[in-house]
Amino acid sequence: MLDVLGIDATAEMVYREMLAHPQEGVAELVRRLELTEQEVRGALDTLGELALVWHSPEDPQSFHVVEPHLAAEILLARERAELAAQ
């Protein structure tokens, strides 16, 4: 669903799971989503590049997730900027 905004299916699953369980880390995402650690970390990299998640300054193993309404604004602004550049 979010692939038109640069988010593949795996990254979308990870994002949604992080919204539902914001205190969980990579290990819990791997277990809950039945993905490999590499798949989860790849999705987190994608989400990080899109500014939808970021590392916690207190704990580099945990992440913070951007709320959906802000995420939509970030992604739409990015798409608008790309369109304007074209």
Side-chain angles (χ1 to χ4, degrees):
M1 180 169 110
L2 297 177
D3 57 334
V4 297
L5 297 174
I7 300 178
D8 63 33
T10 302
E12 182 177 352
M13 283 188 340
V14 169
Y15 177 73
R16 290 178 184 274
E17 194 65 25
M18 290 179 75
L19 288 171
H21 305 279
Q23 301 303 321
E24 292 187 353
V26 173
E28 291 86 0
L29 290 167
V30 167
R31 182 184 53 77
R32 191 180 290 277
L33 295 173
E34 298 179 353
L35 297 171
T36 66
E37 183 174 342
Q38 183 177 3
E39 289 171 317
V40 169
R41 290 200 180 276
L44 289 170
D45 288 345
T46 298
L47 294 168
E49 290 168 7
L50 295 169
L52 301 182
V53 300
W54 69 93
H55 285 282
S56 168
E58 299 86 32
D59 179 9
Q61 295 302 317
S62 67
F63 296 85
H64 294 288
V65 63
V66 173
E67 293 297 322
H69 69 282
L70 292 175
E73 289 181 31
I74 291 168
L75 293 172
L76 289 173
R78 181 182 174 145
E79 288 298 311
R80 284 188 198 114
E82 287 179 17
L83 286 172
Q86 293 176 0

